[in-house]
Amino acid sequence: MTSDTTAERDQQTVETPAGDARITWHPAERPRRVLALGHGAGGGIEASDLRALAAALPPLGVTVALVEQPWRVAGKKMAPAPKTLDTGWRALWPALEKPGVPVVAGGRSAGARVACRTARELGAHAVLALSFPLHPPGRPEKSRAAELLESGVPTLVVQGGNDPFGKPAEYAELPEGAPGAPGGAPGGGYELLEVPYGDHGFAVPKKAPLSQDEALRIITEGVAAWLAVPDGTR
């Protein structure tokens, strides 16, 4: 990390086989967890949910690491294939583990898929899946549920009530007993937190009975409560 300004001190460039990636650290004074959050295929770490978590969690003892994939750092407009995203994430993992506390892998949309696909092999403590893209809009037959169900670690899915990539009600249709599903493989299982009226970016309509700030508060408070559950009791 550099040491010229506060912003620079909190940024770390990491070389990966897919190119240079970047971690922006939001450190807790006495961390008990690191929450690593990757961005989606259509945006970066400026996403409102990622920023809200980065602001809310450090005072609660959770260091938040916002991860920018190499394609984003390089200024490219399109994300590469999933295996390339996974390669970049794997190479970042030692830097994420360096604080010496358990690491929760997470991300939004495509970043959530990366976290789920690699969680077991990397030894992630848990997975936070924000706006998991269960399927492409209007194509429920193209399900990506297996990626979620096979994470093999406790997983929290935070989903907007009007997300075209998969509404909360669709999770009730996922098969039970699959690896990582409720009643499935040991150490797995997922919980679902709904953000009412939220779309894929958790934006809520102006006429909705809750404000945008309230929607973000559902996310930050729900994730904080989930992370606060003692080990071995989930």
Side-chain angles (χ1 to χ4, degrees):
M1 295 185 189
T2 61
S3 58
D4 294 332
T5 69
T6 300
E8 289 172 340
R9 275 202 308 273
D10 290 341
Q11 287 193 341
Q12 178 181 8
T13 298
V14 181
E15 294 182 3
T16 84
D20 285 352
R22 186 163 54 224
I23 304 172
T24 300
W25 293 94
H26 296 260
E29 185 174 346
R30 295 182 179 178
R32 54 185 174 81
R33 297 277 189 276
V34 167
L35 173 60
L37 294 172
H39 53 78
I45 59 172
E46 72 279 359
S48 61
D49 52 336
L50 302 184
R51 288 298 183 184
L53 289 167
L57 296 180
L60 303 178
V62 179
T63 288
V64 177
L66 299 182
V67 176
E68 293 174 87
Q69 283 272 0
W71 70 272
R72 185 80 181 181
V73 174
K76 297 179 181 178
K77 295 183 179 180
M78 293 186 62
K83 66 178 182 179
T84 303
L85 297 176
D86 293 354
T87 295
W89 187 258
R90 290 188 186 99
L92 284 159
W93 198 256
L96 298 170
E97 289 183 312
K98 197 167 184 179
V101 296
V103 181
V104 176
R108 63 167 291 98
S109 195
R113 295 179 65 192
V114 173
C116 287
R117 288 193 298 261
T118 60
R120 191 195 302 264
E121 66 175 281
L122 294 175
H125 186 72
V127 166
L128 172 62
L130 302 162
S131 294
F132 186 86
L134 199 58
H135 55 72
R139 301 292 300 277
E141 73 279 5
K142 300 287 186 180
S143 177
R144 298 159 179 153
E147 294 179 350
L148 172 68
L149 299 178
E150 293 171 7
S151 74
V153 298
T155 300
L156 176 65
V157 179
V158 183
Q159 206 77 2
N162 288 324
D163 191 338
F165 288 83
K167 294 179 173 59
E170 296 179 55
Y171 284 84
E173 302 172 6
L174 297 184
E176 294 184 3
Y190 71 87
E191 300 171 52
L192 181 65
L193 173 63
E194 179 177 350
V195 180
Y197 309 100
D199 63 11
H200 194 57
F202 298 119
V204 297
K206 291 183 179 180
K207 295 183 178 180
L210 78 165
S211 68
Q212 192 62 58
D213 286 345
E214 288 171 328
L216 290 174
R217 197 173 303 120
I218 289 172
I219 298 170
T220 57
E221 292 181 355
V223 171
W226 178 71
L227 290 171
V229 174
D231 294 343
T233 62
R234 202 177 263 115

